[in-house]
Amino acid sequence: MYQDLFYQQNWDEVKASIYAKTSHDVERALGKERRNLEDFKALISPAAAPYLEQMAQLSHQLTKKRFGNTIQMYTPMYLSNECQNICTYCGFSLDNKVRRRTLSDDEIIREAEAIRNMGFEHILLVTGEANRTVGVQYIKKAIQLVKPYFSHIAMEVQPMDLEEYEELIEAGLNTVLVYQETYHKDDYKKHHPKGKKSNFDYRVDTPDRLGKAGIHKIGLGVLIGLEDWRTDSFFTALHLDYLERTYWQTKYSISFPRLRPFSGGLEPKVEMTDRELVQLICAYRLFDEEVELSLSTREHPIFRDNIIKLGITSASAGSKTNPGGYVVEPESLEQFEISDERSAEEFAEMIKNQGYEVVWKDWDLALQ
Amino acid sequence: MDQLVIADKTFNSRLFTGTGKFKSNELMENALVASGSELVTVALKRVDVDNPEDDVLAHLKHDQFNLLPNTSGARTAKEAVFAAQLAREALGTNWVKLEIHPDPKYLMPDPIETLQAAEEMVKQGFIVLPYIHADPVLCKRLEEVGCAAVMPLGAPIGSNKGLKTLDFLEIIIEQSNVPVVVDAGIGSPSHAAHAMELGADAVLVNTAIAVAGDPVAMGKAFGQAVEAGRAAHLAQIAQPRVTAEASSPLTGFLNQL
Ligand code: SF4
């Protein structure tokens, strides 16, 4: 289990070793054909900042070599904003007084049709954590309902037990995204004071349960802004490395959500600049040529347009982060504000103009 | 040097050696002692298990050596399992180097029989070190059935050609959760050092020592090469400098944001 590896590390020591990296370490990492976790540390360190263009060029080449000139498209579908957890950074948090809403079967189908009509074949189902209203059976039903419309079903919901994952995979689930939010245990407690999510260890072992259940793809990441992003990203890379060795038949993706404003919001403890986000994306690519790197609509359009060539392999577009946001009830409360308001079509057009192919479908449920 | 741990054993030397092809057993003994090797393979087919005074074994009775019986000669999983059981009885060790090569010409390991045999041997309580082609997927499958290490080949056995499977060895080393021992093909100390620099956990050398002009001196040279390669790996080798290709800048947009 990753936990065993994780507890052998010490946050402060890891952090110190990242900040101690020098330009020599960065140059060594850049010159290698295969890069290890120490190289990753060098590439995310402040010492790598002057090498950003070089990292970007390399990241561009490696991504082209492995993925070609393609960007995969997906969009989220929020099924519910009910949540029994308190998370200091989220608009759906239990202590946030907003109207709660969970889509009915009929509404799920209407949303699915609308999203499919926008061109999407890959869907990401999202809920808060409210086991009574949106427990495993609700999600299983939702998967069955949307299955006829999509070729690839991902979800981002509460962590579950092994058998529950097995049941959902059987029902057609392909990918699970589960972000650790932060690997800093004390800070994790501060941001998740109440609810099931406050159990750090259960969350950190979720990818292990997914791997054991035989999931096709796992998405990892931290919420950037809660803690030192370099240290948090190292622990993500360590997690990725461990998972790739252990559940070697599973694919992996990484996301880089930066804390976004929302109603009642928390100010980020740590700011990450655009330049640093580019550095992080390139560092992941240089560390792992195969991992999928995903960018959400949290980011600014100019940033999104330019990042296409720098290592990203999948992007969401036209996203709504409220339940029923596409057609059922466009005005309900969002989880966070999105930054790129362009339609999926406009976004796809931009990708094509850069000489890239927009990939809407890259899986088939028949393969499952 | 940092120690290597495989299953329940700790090794100071990362050079494993074989016992075939030496001109005499005395010479073998001296060469292996000089090499510093602590794990020595013996082919079950070569020792007389009924004779406690067997000449090969007599020359390996040193505290320095742990014996690793191999199943060389086995052509199927069934034969290999049987050979391992015999070796356990005769040599009093549950360690086994699993080798199955149905092909008498190049002695290429059979992946399918090897995987089956490994699974069965692990169930029977053996510490299994399988000799295989440098096949990354097979290595993961063997790890999953419980092998204590994997031993991918560098080049055809006895060929002294070095690391012909380099690209695959790199992938295996990168992905493995168990020690990786590069076996077969290593013909000179520089090959051994190279494997260690790449991050292999150990190498196994036989022919290159046994048939050298001076096997004792060569054994020692291999011992030193393995140490040097390991130390270089730990020290993080400097890389050739990359020069960025001249192409339009990709990060210029950051200035506009
Ligand atoms: S982040 Fe998830 S668990 Fe936390 S409040 Fe928001 S929806 Fe609930």
Side-chain angles (χ1 to χ4, degrees), chain A residues 78 80-95 100 126-130 156-159 181 191-192 194 197 203 223 335:
Chain A
Y78 279 69
S80 170
N81 62 5
E82 291 208 42
C83 190
Q84 257 124 43
N85 281 320
I86 293 185
C87 300
T88 56
Y89 46 80
C90 176
F92 295 170
S93 187
L94 178 67
D95 54 354
R100 303 291 169 163
V126 187
T127 69
E129 175 155 2
E156 187 180 339
V157 307
Q158 69 274 19
E181 318 295 13
H191 290 292
H192 309 97
K194 200 186 155 295
K197 195 169 173 179
R203 194 167 187 93
L223 184 53
Q335 188 183 29

Side-chain angles (χ1 to χ4, degrees), chain B residues 209-255:
Chain B
I209 297 175
V211 305
D214 180 346
V216 178
M218 191 56 86
K220 191 165 174 218
F222 266 103
Q224 290 168 336
V226 167
E227 272 190 41
R230 176 66 185 174
H233 174 70
L234 294 177
Q236 303 196 47
I237 296 163
Q239 296 295 324
R241 220 192 142 99
V242 282
T243 42
E245 278 172 38
S247 57
S248 50
L250 291 168
T251 53
F253 75 97
L254 287 165
N255 301 327

